[in-house]
Amino acid sequence: MNPTAEEPEAGTYSFADIEAKWLPVWEQLDTFKPVDDGSRERRYVLDMFPYPSGDLHMGHAEAFAMGDVVARYWRQLGYDVLHPIGWDSFGLPAENAAIKHNAHPSEWTYANIDTQAASFKRYAISADWSRRLQTSDPEYYRWTQWLFLRFFEKGLAYRKDHPVNWCPKDQTVLANEQVVNGACERCGSPVTKKSLNQWYFRITDYADRLLEDMEPLAGHWPERVLAMQRNWIGRSEGAHVTFAIEADGDLPRTDVTVFTTRPDTLHGATFFVVAADAELATELVTSEHASALAEYRESVNTLSDIERQSTEREKTGVFTGRYAVNPLNGEKLPVWAADYVLADYGTGAIIAVPAHDQRDLDFARAFDLPVRMVVDTGEDDPAATGKATTGEGTLVNSGELDGLPKEAAIQRAIELVAAQGTGERTVNYRLRDWLLSRQRFWGTPIPIIHCAACGEVPVPDEQLPVRLPSDLRGEDLAPKGTSPLAAATDWVNVRCPQCSGPAKRDTDTMDTFVDSSWYYLRFADPQSEDAPFDSAKVNEWLPVGQYVGGVEHAILHLLYSRFFTKVLFDLGLVNFTEPFSALLNQGQVLNGGKAMSKSLGNGVNLGEQLDRYGVDAIRLTMVFASPPEDDVDWADVSPSGSAKFLARAWRLGADVTSEPGVDAASGDRALRSVTHRTLADAADLVRNNKFNVVIAKVMELVNATRKAIDSGAGGADPAVREAAEVTAVILSLFAPYTAEDLWERLGHPASVAAAGWPAVDESLLVQDTVTAIVQVQGKVRDRLEVPADITEDALRELALGTAQVQRTLAGRDIRTVIVRAPKLVNIVPA
RNA sequence: GCCCCAGUAGCCCAAUGGCAGAGGCAGGAGACUUAAAAUCUUCACAGUGUGGGUUCGAGUCCCACCUGGGGCACCA
């Protein structure tokens, strides 16, 4: 069983021996494969599946330790627990490694997966290995493609020409969600704009539902994640107002609609701005100003997003030569083109009210445009101060809106434009459609064939998967600005499925977030060959009862997965609309207050930690260090302390001399009381994700048991056995090896993981006497030992009679006495 | 600028509105030991970021501010 280590000295805790001993036993028992027959209530625990970038690191160790606590707890409670594992195995690093080593990305990817799988097994994750999946397996991406085609049929996948975020280093486009502070999320290069014809998912159609359906998640998802999603969706209420742009020479009169959240300030509009990079700007500009606009656009395009987004930057823009007519007062407003107006938010055009919008005011001051105050907020005139006023106030200089407060004026203004037919109430979202094309190789090919005669033709379902060509490797995959797949001419050139004419495959691959948007569904039925999954099975297991992962996915992955689930609901494939009922974001593992990184040289190698302290000690340290959602600073924690505690707990096994199955009822009541209190508290604490406190409670239990053995009831007392067994069961959630070995030393067969959560004897939780606190005016003056079932009246009498109280009152009258029997009395003097 | 979260002992952290301390780390002392390690026992240390408020009673609830962390950001 243990080929390397020597027989340990009896009574000495050796994590290495224990690990070597139990791993093969567990493999045989296959304790964590759900029975999946409906005989037990089902529960689904899921950790965000890993990307196979080398071996597991400290972050994985933390996240998976957390998920495993929940999975193992539910298992102990008797639920049929689904706790699967898989890999998000498409992605750029594999491709970069392949280019560097003149290999195929699959070689690097699957080698890493094997390494990680072995590490996960050593780390004793309670997973069902039979459901393992990889998104880069053709058996998986076949169904990613199938789902794409269903989206396509519903009009939810479409192509358009659009300026997109372009990473010049990775030579690929990026979704908005992948641009962080104007830089590529992956490599940090400044992102630029490029106009390309790309595939999008129409996630904006679901903006409202994505927002509304968050309601029931409150309390089960971290508030900050919900807030971030809400922000990202960015719902804002306002109005569309249509302005007529006057004819100019050959240019006809035309209507342009703007979105505004402040229709009340329409009378304060002094100019009109269109996004410089929008089509609209080119359409509107007069020939006299066309070259200035072209020049301006040129200068804007060379700016990186980082420069562009700097709020310190001076406002820039050019006049278009045209004028817009304010529908409320008929005023003529000059139309400018500027880059501070975004082409893809709202309508790409705004009505500028400099008095009440800082950006408009900055622009007005830069170009000497008039400023007119229309809301009196009691502050100084923005024209003089340079500070726009945006708060509550009363309307002035606004015709019939005069005298109305802001909110009423907004409503009235909308009524006015609506009556004119020039405007209406509307809701606008910040959310954009999801750009999913990637000009990279190692991803799911987009199952579309482009035919000159038929257009975009879906690959017929029975021809799926469209497999990646296997003969491209090394330099073939280097970024060229077009997909590497384009070079595989044999692969690209096909017959059109509709007209059999010559046609070409789409050479882009999908964003890997598409792959990860449905993997949690596949886990319910991972071997399905005629559908992505069996809906009945998915409906039995999902939604996921507890999802665990890093907050870095607060927007991207979670928003996309929620979107997918809603679309699949609409397609009738699932009967729920939210995939994850509860979400836990574990914190980061830091070292010395900073994230571990190569450049800082503060990385801690997980494998070395496991070798040095053992799996259980590392798992315990991760969980004990702080509440799950807080960061763990490895410099602040003590894995050796954890190891010490585990040894201490394990040693209890040697001191229990009673036989298994002995009735605990006759055992030492004080210890039994601690044992059952611990059991009850632990259950509550696990439910509330306070894993660190559970461990503190087990430590207490171990201390109490130790004391009972050494200087109390003694090792033969049945209560000591009971305490040791409860210790093993609770520890099985955190330190599976130690718990298993302790369980064996207590005379039980494997596995403690399936031992079941012992029933709490409520009668042991009640104490005979309790210490009542006697306060005078909230300050503690005395303590009384009283029966636990003392009445309020009796306690009041008792408290009032104590010498301490009498002395403190010093003859003062009593206004009131608060009694919370049996724990507290508070006497309030007059 | 807007939005979230957090500030409790030297450190990590506990505390259904009711005795500020459960647990651990680091530290001191003792027992065992020829000695050390290991083990066991034991001790000390803060009044909860600041200022108000609500309450019989506030670490906990409310308001403002300070500090730290995170998110979004020319989003009309």
Side-chain angles (χ1 to χ4, degrees):
Chain A
M1 224 176 239
N2 183 352
T4 52
E6 288 176 40
E7 195 61 25
E9 200 183 318
T12 307
Y13 174 80
S14 160
F15 65 80
D17 292 330
I18 295 175
E19 287 176 18
K21 175 174 163 189
W22 290 111
L23 205 47
V25 176
W26 291 338
E27 191 97 26
Q28 287 251 304
L29 288 174
D30 207 7
T31 312
F32 304 110
K33 194 184 164 98
V35 294
D36 202 9
D37 63 0
S39 62
R40 294 192 271 160
E41 193 183 323
R42 293 178 170 89
R43 289 247 179 137
Y44 188 176
V45 192
L46 185 63
D47 300 273
M48 291 182 186
F49 64 166
Y51 178 80
S53 55
D55 202 350
L56 299 185
H57 50 68
M58 297 297 279
H60 291 118
E62 190 194 10
F64 282 85
M66 302 299 173
D68 214 39
V69 171
V70 177
R72 287 174 176 273
Y73 175 62
W74 285 352
R75 181 76 185 72
Q76 293 287 22
L77 289 184
Y79 291 107
D80 200 20
V81 174
L82 175 57
H83 186 212
I85 179 98
W87 278 270
D88 188 14
S89 51
F90 271 138
L92 262 180
E95 210 168 309
N96 292 337
I99 295 163
K100 197 168 162 190
H101 300 116
N102 191 32
H104 191 274
S106 66
E107 296 165 29
W108 183 88
T109 301
Y110 286 90
N112 283 344
I113 289 174
D114 285 345
T115 304
Q116 292 196 348
S119 295
F120 272 128
K121 287 187 174 169
R122 176 186 186 189
Y123 202 60
I125 292 305
S126 65
D128 172 10
W129 286 91
S130 72
R131 290 173 188 253
R132 171 175 173 172
L133 61 77
Q134 284 89 212
T135 59
S136 57
D137 291 348
E139 297 76 28
Y140 183 90
Y141 70 70
R142 168 184 183 182
W143 299 111
T144 307
Q145 292 171 337
W146 186 91
L147 288 168
F148 174 91
L149 293 175
R150 302 293 85 77
F151 278 52
F152 179 72
E153 286 163 5
K154 279 205 82 174
L156 291 171
Y158 68 97
R159 282 207 310 167
K160 69 174 173 187
D161 270 315
H162 199 70
V164 296
N165 301 307
W166 179 257
C167 173
K169 176 152 180 291
D170 292 338
Q171 293 277 300
T172 187
V173 301
L174 299 169
N176 277 322
E177 290 83 349
Q178 289 167 319
V179 179
V180 178
N181 291 326
C184 172
E185 172 193 55
R186 183 160 293 286
C187 69
S189 311
V191 170
T192 58
K193 293 281 180 193
K194 185 167 175 172
S195 191
L196 284 174
N197 189 271
Q198 301 280 286
W199 285 98
Y200 289 82
F201 280 142
R202 215 177 284 281
I203 191 171
T204 51
D205 276 10
Y206 284 74
D208 240 338
R209 286 167 67 186
L210 286 165
L211 199 62
E212 282 166 16
D213 291 353
M214 271 192 278
E215 201 90 355
L217 300 179
H220 306 282
W221 279 40
E223 179 49 42
R224 62 173 165 162
V225 173
L226 295 174
M228 278 155 83
Q229 295 228 346
R230 235 177 262 123
N231 264 335
W232 194 263
I233 295 165
R235 178 190 158 96
S236 70
E237 293 182 7
H240 275 150
V241 181
T242 300
F243 284 66
I245 309 291
E246 293 189 316
D248 184 288
D250 293 343
L251 295 167
R253 188 198 121 108
T254 175
D255 283 346
V256 174
T257 300
V258 300
F259 172 73
T260 176
T261 54
R262 294 292 304 276
D264 57 317
T265 63
L266 272 169
H267 287 273
T270 55
F271 57 103
F272 192 100
V273 190
V274 298
D277 54 342
E279 275 305 299
L280 182 61
T282 329
E283 286 165 22
L284 290 181
V285 72
T286 62
S287 52
E288 187 190 343
H289 295 89
S291 63
L293 176 66
E295 227 169 86
Y296 177 63
R297 287 173 69 138
E298 192 60 35
S299 73
V300 167
N301 273 334
T302 58
L303 285 179
S304 73
D305 272 17
I306 293 176
E307 295 167 296
R308 205 187 139 146
Q309 284 172 3
S310 164
T311 48
E312 304 299 307
R313 204 161 60 87
E314 290 279 305
K315 289 283 181 288
T316 58
V318 292
F319 179 47
T320 61
R322 304 289 294 275
Y323 291 87
V325 180
N326 188 330
L328 275 194
N329 59 13
E331 275 182 41
K332 282 172 55 172
L333 309 170
V335 177
W336 289 69
D339 67 350
Y340 84 92
V341 172
L342 306 176
D344 52 1
Y345 180 77
T347 62
I350 63 150
I351 179 67
V353 184
H356 307 295
D357 182 288
Q358 192 60 47
R359 295 152 302 179
D360 296 344
L361 182 56
D362 293 343
F363 192 87
R365 286 162 78 92
F367 292 95
D368 216 11
L369 296 159
V371 178
R372 183 194 305 149
M373 192 171 85
V374 290
V375 182
D376 183 3
T377 63
E379 293 156 281
D380 291 339
D381 189 342
T385 62
K387 269 190 64 130
T389 57
T390 56
E392 298 300 321
T394 306
L395 274 283
V396 295
N397 302 324
S398 296
E400 71 167 276
L401 298 177
D402 280 356
L404 289 175
K406 175 177 161 184
E407 199 46 49
I410 290 174
Q411 302 313 322
R412 183 71 192 128
I414 294 173
E415 286 167 26
L416 288 176
V417 288
Q420 281 185 337
T422 57
E424 60 184 353
R425 185 184 311 279
T426 188
V427 173
N428 200 53
Y429 296 93
R430 210 189 73 113
L431 185 69
R432 318 282 209 272
D433 277 340
W434 171 9
L435 170 72
L436 67 107
S437 308
R438 293 294 180 274
Q439 290 70 50
R440 299 299 303 227
F441 172 80
W442 191 233
T444 304
I446 292 172
I448 292 287
I449 289 166
H450 299 284
C451 169
C454 312
E456 294 162 352
V457 181
V459 173
D461 286 354
E462 61 276 12
Q463 290 176 26
L464 299 179
V466 176
R467 285 172 186 268
L468 285 168
S470 56
D471 52 344
L472 294 179
R473 54 195 295 120
E475 268 308 306
D476 301 336
L477 307 176
K480 302 163 190 67
T482 54
S483 173
L485 285 171
T489 47
D490 289 353
W491 182 87
V492 170
N493 293 308
V494 288
R495 293 272 150 199
C496 169
Q498 270 173 26
C499 70
S500 300
K504 287 181 188 299
R505 288 192 189 282
D506 198 297
T507 57
D508 286 349
T509 52
M510 297 185 210
D511 181 1
T512 56
F513 278 106
V514 180
D515 308 326
S516 56
S517 289
W518 71 282
Y519 78 105
Y520 48 91
L521 301 165
R522 179 78 178 173
F523 273 136
D525 186 20
Q527 269 87 44
S528 171
E529 285 179 10
D530 39 42
F533 47 78
D534 178 70
S535 292
K537 288 184 181 172
V538 165
N539 290 338
E540 277 165 359
W541 281 110
L542 281 94
V544 174
Q546 179 67 63
Y547 199 29
V548 180
V551 71
E552 66 271 19
H553 292 113
I555 299 172
L556 292 159
H557 165 60
L558 291 169
L559 192 68
Y560 293 154
S561 295
R562 296 181 58 225
F563 164 60
F564 255 63
T565 300
K566 289 172 202 311
V567 174
L568 297 183
F569 174 85
D570 291 349
L571 288 165
L573 292 171
V574 302
N575 68 359
F576 49 91
T577 56
E578 282 293 328
F580 314 120
S581 303
L583 174 69
L584 173 62
N585 282 140
Q586 86 283 356
Q588 270 189 290
V589 185
L590 312 176
N591 191 15
K594 299 218 168 63
M596 295 183 192
S597 75
K598 266 191 193 134
S599 58
L600 287 171
N602 65 343
V604 174
N605 181 279
L606 175 61
E608 283 169 19
Q609 296 289 309
L610 296 179
D611 291 343
R612 192 156 156 206
Y613 302 105
V615 169
D616 282 357
I618 297 308
R619 289 179 56 137
L620 193 79
T621 302
M622 290 289 182
V623 178
F624 182 49
S626 60
E629 54 290 344
D630 286 8
D631 290 344
V632 174
D633 193 330
W634 207 246
D636 289 339
V637 298
S638 170
S640 63
S642 299
K644 210 167 89 178
F645 162 72
L646 289 170
R648 184 171 157 86
W650 181 85
R651 276 194 308 272
L652 292 179
D655 293 322
V656 173
T657 54
S658 58
E659 290 303 308
V662 66
D663 185 6
S666 63
D668 180 71
R669 167 143 179 145
L671 180 58
R672 292 206 72 205
S673 197
V674 175
T675 303
H676 285 260
R677 169 55 56 203
T678 304
L679 212 42
D681 287 351
D684 253 7
L685 291 163
V686 175
R687 253 195 302 281
N688 293 308
N689 293 341
K690 295 181 173 181
F691 309 142
N692 54 325
V693 189
V694 178
I695 292 168
K697 297 284 178 200
V698 187
M699 286 174 170
E700 264 182 275
L701 177 59
V702 169
N703 290 343
T705 311
R706 180 82 261 156
K707 205 168 249 177
I709 292 168
D710 291 347
S711 57
D717 191 293
V720 168
R721 162 166 290 278
E722 184 185 41
E725 289 182 352
V726 165
T727 299
V729 172
I730 300 180
L731 270 188
S732 77
L733 316 188
F734 308 98
Y737 289 106
T738 307
E740 191 71 87
D741 211 60
L742 173 57
W743 193 241
E744 188 195 42
R745 282 155 68 86
L746 291 168
H748 296 289
S751 168
V752 68
W757 194 258
V760 174
D761 183 343
E762 299 285 340
S763 71
L764 290 165
L765 304 184
V766 241
Q767 291 164 292
D768 296 335
T769 64
V770 294
T771 307
I773 309 304
V774 183
Q775 301 177 330
V776 176
Q777 229 168 356
K779 292 204 173 70
V780 180
R781 296 299 178 185
D782 209 349
R783 294 177 174 79
L784 299 170
E785 272 305 304
V786 298
D789 56 355
I790 193 170
T791 64
E792 295 211 345
D793 288 342
L795 184 57
R796 179 184 295 112
E797 289 313 307
L798 217 51
L800 287 169
T802 67
Q804 280 292 345
V805 169
Q806 288 306 322
R807 193 177 319 144
T808 311
L809 284 175
R812 279 178 293 176
D813 286 340
I814 292 165
R815 175 141 59 100
T816 179
V817 180
I818 313 279
V819 184
R820 296 280 180 274
K823 293 181 113 171
L824 178 125
V825 180
N826 188 14
I827 299 157
V828 189

